[in-house]
Structure formats: C-alpha cells, structure tokens
Amino acid sequence: MSLYLVATPIGNLGDVSQRAIETLRTATIIAAEDTRSARRLLAALSISAEGKRLVAYGDHNEAAMAPRLAEDLRAGTNIALISEGGTPLISDPGYRLVQAALACGAPVVPIPGPSAALAALAASGLPVHGFIFRGFLPKKPGARRRILESLKDREETLIFYESPQRVAKVLPEFVEVFGPDRPACLARELTKVHETFWRLPLGELAALVAQEPPRGECTLLVAGVTRGAPADDGPPEGENMAG
Ligand code: SAM
C-alpha cells in the first residue's frame, strides 16, 4: 500500500491538517522518531493507538528499518511517517524509507503541513523569489567554514537550522564570511507563545545573540548577495507564477 509523509505541528497543535489527522487515524503502522511523543500526539488529536503498530524510525536504525517497512508496504499495509515536528525528511529521517518504498513500487504520498524553514522564510522579510535550504551545518569548524564560503556569493536567501546553544557560537563565523551588513533574520519558537523574529543585519544580530542567548528552537536566515538590478530568473518578490 502507500507510504504517507505526514507533516505535524512545529509547536502549535492547531496547525495540524485535517488530512494529517485522517491519515494518522487510518494508518496501520506509524513510523516515528520517538514513539512516546507520537503517542502523545495521537492522544492530543483524540486518535486511538489501538490496533496500530508504532515503530521507532530514526537516524540510528533507518538502514535496518527501511527494508523491513518496505516489506510491510508490499504486504499491503499503509504506513504514516512522522518526525518530532514539521515535515519528515526535511533535516529529519525518512530518505531511505522513501527510496525503499519507491523501489518496491509503493506510492509515496505527501501530506503537507508545517515546516520551520518555509514558515521562517515567509515571515522573515527577506527575498523569497529564490532560496537555499541548507539545514544543519557541520559541527566541525573547518567543514562549516567551507560551506559558508561556498554560499557567500549566492543570490538566494539562505536558510539554516541551528540549536539555540550553537547559534551564538556560529553567528560570529557568519559575520566573518558574509560581512556585518548582510540582512538576516533569526526566527525563534515559531508558532509558539514566544514566537520572535530578530530581523537585523548579521553584525547586529550576532551582538544581540551574544548579549541575550536565544532559548527555544531557532531558524536562521541570511539574505543572498545583492548585485544591482534583481535577477530576471523568476517573478519579482510577492508575485506568483500564475496569471
Ligand atoms: N522537519 C522539520 C521541519 O520541517 O521543520 C525540522 C526538523 S529539524 C530536526 C529541527 C530544527 O528545525 C530545529 O533545530 C530548528 O532549527 C528548526 N525548528 C523546528 N521547529 C522550530 C520552531 N518552532 N521555530 C524555529 N525553528 C524551528
């Protein structure tokens, strides 16, 4: 049967879609990074876990679990994959499972919904006509620096995921590579009570973060380099392709 990639809230339970609820209700297997928090989510959505198999599926066991779950798909079972929050596979486990499902001919069905990257981008105030989602940067300073250097001349808005502890550590490196004047935005605790956007040039943002280390989940965005007239490879900001 089908593999459903179910996006779940990144903070605010009200963001769950009707289709996500229906899919979780009818799936026989729910593959989740953490089965305890999956049970909590089901309870919050008034979905009974009875008769369902909740299986742990994460970075630690993806290689072993993907072929096993593909067997279940082949046997006619519907599987819903969820992550701890947001859209599965986006800096989250699931890639191998999608590959395994496709290899056995099972339909892979997205159930779209929240994702921190797009929520942050849309509200950042930074250009949206092109963007690069880079996710988590490497922990090793050399590898991190190489990636930042490779991005410094890009015109697209750059999107990074970071832990609050590391934001303060990496921001000075961003300032060194991109310069203090590059517009940036730190989106914190999206969709939650303490949702905050710090929309500042990188130098000021780094100073603020050093003074007031952010708490909670953070998405960092950096504007691309501006070269005179806007690129003509897409519609102007704020316009879509239709019409
Ligand atoms: N798959 C998820 C998605 O679609 O957004 C992302 C999972 S990744 C393991 C978790 C990272 O996403 C966090 O470290 C943080 O950088 C970002 N993130 C998740 N929830 C967030 C929130 N509510 N506010 C800001 N950033 C968030």
Side-chain angles (χ1 to χ4, degrees), residues 5-21 24 33 37-38 40-42 44-45 47 81-88 92 111-117 119 161 189-192 217:
L5 308 175
V6 183
T8 58
I10 55 170
N12 189 325
L13 192 63
D15 292 335
V16 72
S17 75
Q18 202 55 47
R19 260 185 102 203
I21 294 174
L24 293 173
E33 273 190 284
S37 53
R40 279 198 295 275
L41 177 68
L42 293 183
L45 299 173
I47 297 172
L81 175 69
I82 57 174
S83 67
E84 278 296 279
T87 302
D92 264 334
I111 308 292
S115 189
Y161 284 160
E189 294 286 82
L190 288 163
T191 77
K192 303 183 196 177
E217 304 203 80

Side-chain angles (χ1 to χ4, degrees), residues 10-12 186-198 212-219:
I10 55 170
N12 189 325
L186 186 69
R188 202 178 61 83
E189 294 286 82
L190 288 163
T191 77
K192 303 183 196 177
V193 178
H194 297 294
E195 177 178 272
T196 318
F197 293 91
W198 285 343
E212 201 181 314
R215 273 180 291 180
E217 304 203 80
C218 295
T219 297

Side-chain angles (χ1 to χ4, degrees), residues 86-101:
T87 302
L89 276 84
I90 307 303
S91 291
D92 264 334
Y95 178 75
R96 282 176 196 259
L97 182 53
V98 168
Q99 294 300 312

Side-chain angles (χ1 to χ4, degrees), residues 10 90-91 115-138 147-148 151-152 154-162 167 170 174 178 182-187 190 197 202 218-224:
I10 55 170
I90 307 303
S91 291
S115 189
L118 287 186
L121 175 68
S124 66
L126 300 175
V128 295
H129 56 274
F131 60 91
I132 295 176
F133 171 69
R134 188 54 194 73
F136 291 100
L137 286 166
I147 288 175
L148 292 181
L151 294 169
K152 83 171 178 208
R154 299 298 305 227
E155 295 182 11
E156 299 90 342
T157 294
L158 310 170
I159 310 174
F160 303 91
Y161 284 160
E162 259 316 340
V167 164
V170 300
F174 276 70
F178 298 102
R182 187 76 77 94
C185 173
L186 186 69
L190 288 163
F197 293 91
L202 269 176
C218 295
T219 297
L220 176 64
L221 305 99
V222 178

Side-chain angles (χ1 to χ4, degrees), residues 45-64:
L45 299 173
S46 306
I47 297 172
S48 168
E50 228 177 272
K52 292 187 189 303
R53 256 171 66 205
L54 265 70
V55 301
Y57 183 89
D59 291 331
H60 64 290
N61 69 352
E62 247 199 308

